[in-house]
Amino acid sequence: MVDNEKEQRFMIEWQALTAFAKKVSEQDHSGHGFDHIQRVVATAKQLAAQTPEADTAVVLAAATMHDTYDDKLVPDVPIAKAAAQQAMVDAGMRADQVQMVLTIIDHMSFKANLQHHQSLPVEGQLVQDADRLDAIGAIGIGRAFMYGGAHGGRMYDPDLPPRADLTAAQYRTTEGTVINHFYEKLLKLKDQLNTDAAKKMAMHRQQVMEDFLTEFKAEWHGRR
Protein backbone atom coordinates (compact mmCIF):
# COMPACT_ATOMS: atom_id res chain seq x y z
CA MET A 1 0.00 0.00 0.00
CA VAL A 2 2.82 2.38 0.90
CA ASP A 3 4.60 1.68 -2.40
CA ASN A 4 1.38 2.28 -4.34
CA GLU A 5 0.84 5.62 -2.60
CA LYS A 6 4.44 6.63 -3.26
CA GLU A 7 4.13 5.71 -6.94
CA GLN A 8 0.83 7.57 -7.21
CA ARG A 9 2.33 10.70 -5.67
CA PHE A 10 5.35 10.44 -7.97
CA MET A 11 3.09 10.27 -11.04
CA ILE A 12 1.18 13.36 -9.89
CA GLU A 13 4.46 15.26 -9.43
CA TRP A 14 5.74 14.19 -12.84
CA GLN A 15 2.48 15.09 -14.61
CA ALA A 16 2.53 18.57 -13.04
CA LEU A 17 6.11 19.15 -14.13
CA THR A 18 5.37 17.82 -17.61
CA ALA A 19 2.53 20.32 -18.00
CA PHE A 20 4.85 23.14 -16.87
CA ALA A 21 7.65 22.11 -19.26
CA LYS A 22 5.20 21.76 -22.14
CA LYS A 23 3.96 25.30 -21.61
CA VAL A 24 7.52 26.66 -21.74
CA SER A 25 8.65 24.66 -24.76
CA GLU A 26 5.61 24.16 -26.98
CA GLN A 27 6.20 27.34 -29.04
CA ASP A 28 9.84 26.54 -29.79
CA HIS A 29 10.80 25.85 -33.40
CA SER A 30 14.56 25.57 -32.97
CA GLY A 31 14.79 21.89 -32.05
CA HIS A 32 14.14 22.41 -28.33
CA GLY A 33 10.39 21.90 -28.36
CA PHE A 34 8.31 19.58 -26.21
CA ASP A 35 9.12 16.61 -28.45
CA HIS A 36 12.76 17.04 -27.39
CA ILE A 37 11.71 16.98 -23.73
CA GLN A 38 9.71 13.80 -24.29
CA ARG A 39 12.65 12.02 -25.93
CA VAL A 40 15.09 13.09 -23.21
CA VAL A 41 12.69 11.88 -20.52
CA ALA A 42 12.21 8.53 -22.27
CA THR A 43 15.96 7.99 -22.66
CA ALA A 44 16.72 9.13 -19.11
CA LYS A 45 14.10 6.71 -17.81
CA GLN A 46 15.71 3.91 -19.82
CA LEU A 47 19.17 4.75 -18.44
CA ALA A 48 17.82 5.08 -14.88
CA ALA A 49 16.33 1.59 -15.09
CA GLN A 50 19.90 0.32 -15.43
CA THR A 51 21.15 2.46 -12.53
CA PRO A 52 19.43 1.29 -9.32
CA GLU A 53 21.33 3.76 -7.11
CA ALA A 54 19.81 6.76 -8.90
CA ASP A 55 16.80 8.65 -7.49
CA THR A 56 14.35 8.13 -10.35
CA ALA A 57 12.18 11.04 -9.23
CA VAL A 58 15.13 13.41 -9.53
CA VAL A 59 16.18 11.93 -12.89
CA LEU A 60 12.73 12.37 -14.43
CA ALA A 61 12.19 15.80 -12.90
CA ALA A 62 15.53 17.07 -14.19
CA ALA A 63 14.93 15.54 -17.62
CA THR A 64 11.49 17.15 -17.77
CA MET A 65 12.61 20.57 -16.52
CA HIS A 66 16.07 20.82 -18.07
CA ASP A 67 15.16 23.46 -20.69
CA THR A 68 12.59 25.42 -18.68
CA TYR A 69 14.99 28.27 -17.95
CA ASP A 70 17.39 27.85 -20.85
CA ASP A 71 18.24 31.18 -22.51
CA LYS A 72 17.37 29.64 -25.89
CA LEU A 73 13.72 29.45 -24.81
CA VAL A 74 13.14 32.19 -22.24
CA PRO A 75 13.84 35.95 -22.31
CA ASP A 76 14.72 36.25 -18.61
CA VAL A 77 16.64 33.32 -17.10
CA PRO A 78 16.46 34.30 -13.39
CA ILE A 79 12.69 34.81 -13.55
CA ALA A 80 12.23 31.54 -15.45
CA LYS A 81 14.45 29.68 -12.98
CA ALA A 82 12.41 30.97 -10.05
CA ALA A 83 9.23 29.84 -11.81
CA ALA A 84 10.69 26.39 -12.45
CA GLN A 85 11.73 26.08 -8.81
CA GLN A 86 8.26 27.08 -7.64
CA ALA A 87 6.69 24.58 -10.04
CA MET A 88 8.70 21.79 -8.42
CA VAL A 89 7.75 22.96 -4.94
CA ASP A 90 4.08 23.16 -5.96
CA ALA A 91 4.31 19.64 -7.40
CA GLY A 92 5.30 18.37 -3.95
CA MET A 93 8.97 17.61 -4.46
CA ARG A 94 11.19 17.64 -1.37
CA ALA A 95 13.51 20.63 -0.90
CA ASP A 96 16.64 18.49 -1.34
CA GLN A 97 15.28 17.04 -4.58
CA VAL A 98 14.44 20.49 -5.92
CA GLN A 99 17.95 21.72 -5.14
CA MET A 100 19.52 18.70 -6.81
CA VAL A 101 17.44 19.24 -9.96
CA LEU A 102 18.49 22.90 -10.14
CA THR A 103 22.16 21.96 -9.67
CA ILE A 104 21.90 19.38 -12.44
CA ILE A 105 20.28 21.82 -14.86
CA ASP A 106 22.81 24.57 -14.05
CA HIS A 107 25.81 22.36 -14.78
CA MET A 108 24.77 19.81 -17.42
CA SER A 109 24.85 21.82 -20.65
CA PHE A 110 27.63 21.81 -23.24
CA LYS A 111 27.91 25.58 -22.93
CA ALA A 112 28.24 25.47 -19.12
CA ASN A 113 31.05 22.96 -19.40
CA LEU A 114 32.98 25.20 -21.79
CA GLN A 115 33.58 27.66 -18.95
CA HIS A 116 33.79 25.23 -16.06
CA HIS A 117 33.40 21.53 -15.44
CA GLN A 118 31.58 20.30 -12.39
CA SER A 119 31.06 16.66 -11.54
CA LEU A 120 27.38 15.81 -11.61
CA PRO A 121 25.62 13.39 -9.27
CA VAL A 122 24.65 10.12 -10.89
CA GLU A 123 21.15 11.47 -11.57
CA GLY A 124 22.66 14.41 -13.45
CA GLN A 125 24.94 12.15 -15.44
CA LEU A 126 21.94 10.18 -16.67
CA VAL A 127 20.03 13.31 -17.71
CA GLN A 128 23.10 14.82 -19.34
CA ASP A 129 23.63 11.61 -21.31
CA ALA A 130 19.98 11.53 -22.41
CA ASP A 131 20.12 15.17 -23.53
CA ARG A 132 23.35 14.64 -25.43
CA LEU A 133 22.07 11.51 -27.12
CA ASP A 134 19.19 13.56 -28.51
CA ALA A 135 21.73 15.95 -30.05
CA ILE A 136 23.40 13.26 -32.17
CA GLY A 137 22.36 10.72 -34.79
CA ALA A 138 19.49 11.27 -37.22
CA ILE A 139 17.50 13.30 -34.69
CA GLY A 140 20.57 15.38 -33.95
CA ILE A 141 21.03 16.16 -37.64
CA GLY A 142 17.44 17.33 -37.92
CA ARG A 143 17.66 19.43 -34.77
CA ALA A 144 20.90 21.07 -35.91
CA PHE A 145 19.29 22.30 -39.11
CA MET A 146 16.14 23.38 -37.27
CA TYR A 147 18.25 25.50 -34.92
CA GLY A 148 20.31 26.97 -37.76
CA GLY A 149 17.19 27.83 -39.76
CA ALA A 150 15.45 29.38 -36.76
CA HIS A 151 18.43 31.64 -36.10
CA GLY A 152 19.28 32.61 -39.66
CA GLY A 153 22.35 30.41 -39.88
CA ARG A 154 24.03 29.21 -43.04
CA MET A 155 24.24 25.52 -43.92
CA TYR A 156 27.86 25.42 -44.99
CA ASP A 157 30.79 27.50 -46.18
CA PRO A 158 33.86 25.47 -47.19
CA ASP A 159 36.00 28.58 -46.73
CA LEU A 160 34.94 28.94 -43.09
CA PRO A 161 36.72 26.33 -40.95
CA PRO A 162 35.25 24.99 -37.71
CA ARG A 163 36.15 27.06 -34.67
CA ALA A 164 38.65 25.48 -32.26
CA ASP A 165 38.82 25.85 -28.48
CA LEU A 166 35.51 27.63 -28.17
CA THR A 167 34.78 29.63 -25.04
CA ALA A 168 31.28 29.94 -23.61
CA ALA A 169 31.13 33.55 -24.84
CA GLN A 170 32.06 32.53 -28.40
CA TYR A 171 29.72 29.53 -28.51
CA ARG A 172 26.69 31.48 -29.76
CA THR A 173 28.13 34.90 -30.56
CA THR A 174 30.70 34.29 -33.29
CA GLU A 175 30.06 33.25 -36.88
CA GLY A 176 29.56 29.60 -37.68
CA THR A 177 27.60 27.23 -39.94
CA VAL A 178 25.38 24.24 -39.28
CA ILE A 179 27.94 21.83 -40.74
CA ASN A 180 30.72 23.36 -38.63
CA HIS A 181 28.51 22.82 -35.57
CA PHE A 182 29.00 19.08 -36.04
CA TYR A 183 32.77 19.47 -35.69
CA GLU A 184 32.60 22.09 -32.97
CA LYS A 185 30.16 20.18 -30.76
CA LEU A 186 28.07 17.26 -31.98
CA LEU A 187 30.86 14.87 -32.98
CA LYS A 188 32.54 15.49 -29.62
CA LEU A 189 29.55 14.46 -27.51
CA LYS A 190 30.12 10.70 -27.83
CA ASP A 191 33.36 10.97 -25.89
CA GLN A 192 31.77 13.15 -23.20
CA LEU A 193 29.06 10.69 -22.17
CA ASN A 194 29.08 9.35 -18.63
CA THR A 195 27.49 5.90 -18.71
CA ASP A 196 28.35 2.73 -20.58
CA ALA A 197 24.74 2.34 -21.74
CA ALA A 198 24.74 5.82 -23.28
CA LYS A 199 28.13 5.26 -24.90
CA LYS A 200 26.81 2.08 -26.51
CA MET A 201 23.78 3.92 -27.90
CA ALA A 202 26.03 6.72 -29.20
CA MET A 203 28.19 4.48 -31.38
CA HIS A 204 25.56 3.99 -34.08
CA ARG A 205 24.39 7.59 -33.90
CA GLN A 206 27.96 8.81 -34.35
CA GLN A 207 28.32 6.74 -37.51
CA VAL A 208 25.05 8.15 -38.85
CA MET A 209 26.43 11.69 -38.49
CA GLU A 210 29.79 10.83 -40.03
CA ASP A 211 28.11 9.17 -43.02
CA PHE A 212 25.82 12.18 -43.42
CA LEU A 213 28.73 14.64 -43.42
CA THR A 214 30.56 12.59 -46.06
CA GLU A 215 27.47 12.53 -48.26
CA PHE A 216 26.68 16.21 -47.68
CA LYS A 217 30.13 17.38 -48.74
CA ALA A 218 30.19 15.07 -51.74
CA GLU A 219 26.88 16.48 -52.95
CA TRP A 220 27.92 20.06 -52.13
CA HIS A 221 30.96 19.75 -54.37
CA GLY A 222 29.04 17.89 -57.12
CA ARG A 223 30.82 14.57 -56.68
CA ARG A 224 27.53 12.68 -56.26
Side-chain angles (χ1 to χ4, degrees):
M1 186 69 173
V2 174
D3 286 344
N4 287 340
E5 289 177 357
K6 184 177 179 182
E7 183 176 345
Q8 207 170 35
R9 180 179 174 184
F10 168 70
M11 290 305 298
I12 292 171
E13 290 176 1
W14 187 21
Q15 288 167 2
L17 298 184
T18 299
F20 179 85
K22 183 176 183 179
K23 186 176 180 180
V24 174
S25 62
E26 63 185 353
Q27 299 302 317
D28 179 80
H29 300 290
S30 72
H32 296 84
F34 186 60
D35 59 308
H36 165 64
I37 300 296
Q38 291 175 303
R39 289 191 301 272
V40 172
V41 168
T43 303
K45 188 175 182 181
Q46 181 180 342
L47 295 174
Q50 303 174 59
T51 315
E53 68 272 25
D55 183 335
T56 304
V58 169
V59 171
L60 294 182
T64 302
M65 302 290 281
H66 79 276
D67 275 344
T68 55
Y69 57 91
D70 190 299
D71 62 1
K72 295 187 295 294
L73 278 77
V74 300
D76 190 313
V77 171
I79 289 177
K81 182 176 181 178
Q85 182 173 1
Q86 188 61 50
M88 289 187 278
V89 172
D90 292 344
M93 292 184 68
R94 300 194 316 264
D96 62 312
Q97 291 178 319
V98 172
Q99 188 53 55
M100 185 180 289
V101 170
L102 295 175
T103 298
I104 289 169
I105 295 172
D106 288 343
H107 298 288
M108 64 175 271
S109 73
F110 181 82
K111 180 184 175 184
N113 283 275
L114 285 172
Q115 58 191 34
H116 67 269
H117 178 76
Q118 176 168 320
S119 296
L120 291 167
V122 64
E123 292 84 1
Q125 292 177 28
L126 299 177
V127 178
Q128 186 181 63
D129 280 358
D131 188 40
R132 288 179 171 178
L133 284 168
D134 202 55
I136 62 177
I139 292 290
I141 293 169
R143 290 182 67 214
F145 282 95
M146 282 188 73
Y147 188 84
H151 292 275
R154 290 181 291 165
M155 281 204 304
Y156 182 48
D157 180 349
D159 295 324
L160 188 66
R163 298 164 294 179
D165 301 319
L166 279 176
T167 66
Q170 294 170 327
Y171 179 51
R172 291 192 201 138
T173 57
T174 57
E175 186 178 18
T177 68
V178 174
I179 292 300
N180 281 355
H181 185 61
F182 285 86
Y183 298 99
E184 294 164 354
K185 174 184 176 181
L186 304 185
L187 291 172
K188 297 178 179 180
L189 294 179
K190 177 178 71 70
D191 295 326
Q192 297 176 8
L193 295 170
N194 303 290
T195 63
D196 290 340
K199 291 174 184 177
K200 185 175 180 180
M201 293 175 68
M203 290 176 64
H204 173 72
R205 299 186 186 205
Q206 186 83 356
Q207 191 62 55
V208 168
M209 292 192 297
E210 291 174 356
D211 291 344
F212 166 76
L213 291 168
T214 298
E215 179 66 23
F216 182 97
K217 291 179 181 180
E219 292 182 13
W220 184 278
H221 294 289
R223 295 195 294 268
R224 289 182 186 161

